[in-house]
Amino acid sequence: MPFRNEFTETFGIEHPIVCGGMAAVGTADLIAAVANAGALGFLSALTQPTPEDLAKEIRRCQEMTDRPFGVNLTILPTITPVPYDEYREAIIESGVKIVETAGSNPAPHLPAFKAAGIKVIHKAVAVRHALKAESLGVDAVSIDGFECAGHPGEDDVPGLVLIPAATRKLSIPVIASGGFATGDGLVAALALGACAINMGTRFEATHEAPIHSRVKEQIVANDERSTQLVFREFRNTARVARNTVSEEIAAISARPEARFEDVAHLASGARGRERVLRDGDVEDGMWWAGQAQGLIDSVESCADVVRTIVADAEHIISERLASQLA
């Protein structure tokens, strides 16, 4: 019996499972496979060097699937200015109908997206940020608990508290993010009031993810303790895989006189993309992974990941929980 709720109906997908935008990972190879599995995936706009490259990647994804998918537009302050308006226009002109925004306030982009009939999901790490996004008119919110890969914010609120705190106050669909990789996680998220789960690390460990096989194998080998918080001293906390580089970043950053410039060469995105994700040296760069690593025990296809999660969730609801109520 497939899950049906406000989220699946609004966004036209089969299963309440999302693969949010992931820098250097959210390409058509992965996102088309996620879409074909009946879930909702997001191409990462800024993984593409130019808006023109993004338009090409969107076309490539459209050729690989006839199911809904979206594009993530992460809005952050950068040393080199990013032509966000041009990326936005590439999304609109390509006919994409779902966008995931993250980072800074999406307000400057919402009028254009809404005028084009695009539904917007905004990623937030706090209830107050989610409420602000709702007031701006987004269609759903993805709420990131402290367990998540990437930037969990500075409040350190885990999903078990953050998700119901958000769903109690929001009237739009809420996607639970951070620490999800299994069917029981889906059931828990639904019980806490969410309409879907977002998974990043779990989708990294799939055959279709465009990263080196050694990275996928490392995710399987890692446990829930195999992450490292970095940049906390700079009030830009990030959760990454624990390795030689992330531990060195943490050690340098803990020095009283430390500045971000002291770790920039270690934290370089290019270093992580090239040495780790492309070449497979899992110790020689910073790469993103969440505590959900402790729940991942195999590399599978996206179709098998989604199928297993949905089947396990249905079994838990119909059998395990029912038996405890007898």
Side-chain angles (χ1 to χ4, degrees), residues 167-181:
T167 59
R168 286 182 179 189
K169 294 187 176 181
L170 292 161
S171 59
I172 56 178
V174 173
I175 304 163
S177 180
F180 293 100

Side-chain angles (χ1 to χ4, degrees), residues 61-316:
C61 199
Q62 289 167 336
E63 291 168 358
M64 298 168 70
T65 183
D66 59 0
R67 296 194 176 193
F69 68 89
V71 176
N72 167 281
L73 185 64
T74 297
I75 309 155
L76 293 172
T78 57
I79 296 173
T80 303
V82 174
Y84 287 111
D85 291 356
E86 294 176 29
Y87 276 99
R88 183 190 67 219
E89 291 310 305
I91 293 169
I92 293 171
E93 292 172 6
S94 296
V96 171
K97 291 303 179 184
I98 308 171
V99 164
E100 177 187 65
T101 56
S104 301
N105 191 321
H109 302 282
L110 290 179
F113 283 142
K114 290 297 181 179
I118 293 173
K119 294 182 173 64
V120 177
I121 300 170
H122 185 66
K123 294 193 74 171
V125 296
V127 175
R128 62 189 181 278
H129 299 158
L131 288 168
K132 176 64 175 179
E134 180 181 42
S135 74
L136 294 173
V138 303
D139 299 279
V141 165
S142 179
I143 195 86
D144 277 353
F146 189 52
E147 306 91 336
C148 72
H151 296 278
E154 309 303 318
D155 295 340
D156 299 358
V157 181
L160 192 61
V161 173
L162 185 61
I163 296 162
T167 59
R168 286 182 179 189
K169 294 187 176 181
L170 292 161
S171 59
I172 56 178
V174 173
I175 304 163
S177 180
F180 293 100
T182 60
D184 44 12
L186 173 56
V187 173
L190 296 175
L192 294 172
C195 292
I197 58 172
N198 174 63
M199 305 189 304
T201 306
R202 172 65 271 197
F203 279 120
E204 281 188 300
T206 58
H207 298 310
E208 296 91 346
I211 59 179
H212 200 283
S213 60
R214 281 198 291 268
V215 179
K216 303 175 188 183
E217 292 162 3
Q218 189 64 49
I219 291 172
V220 172
N222 284 347
D223 63 19
E224 67 280 3
R225 300 168 299 166
S226 302
T227 67
Q228 177 76 52
L229 293 176
V230 296
F231 311 151
R232 172 135 287 199
E233 294 79 3
F234 314 122
R235 295 198 60 77
N236 188 29
T237 300
R239 187 181 298 281
V240 300
R242 183 183 295 277
N243 65 2
T244 303
V245 168
S246 64
E247 289 181 338
E248 185 177 357
I249 291 172
I252 294 172
S253 302
R255 298 171 185 168
E257 72 283 2
R259 302 170 303 158
F260 180 75
E261 290 78 6
D262 299 328
V263 299
H265 65 291
L266 296 169
S268 163
R271 178 173 178 165
R273 288 192 302 272
E274 294 168 9
R275 301 189 190 184
V276 180
L277 300 184
R278 186 191 67 192
D279 298 340
D281 188 340
V282 297
E283 293 294 326
D284 201 23
M286 194 183 79
W287 53 285
W288 307 101
Q291 292 181 324
Q293 288 179 115
L295 304 175
I296 300 168
D297 55 16
S298 61
V299 177
E300 302 178 29
S301 69
C302 289
D304 285 340
V305 166
V306 171
R307 186 183 305 114
T308 298
I309 287 174
V310 172
D312 287 351
E314 292 173 346
H315 175 78
I316 290 165

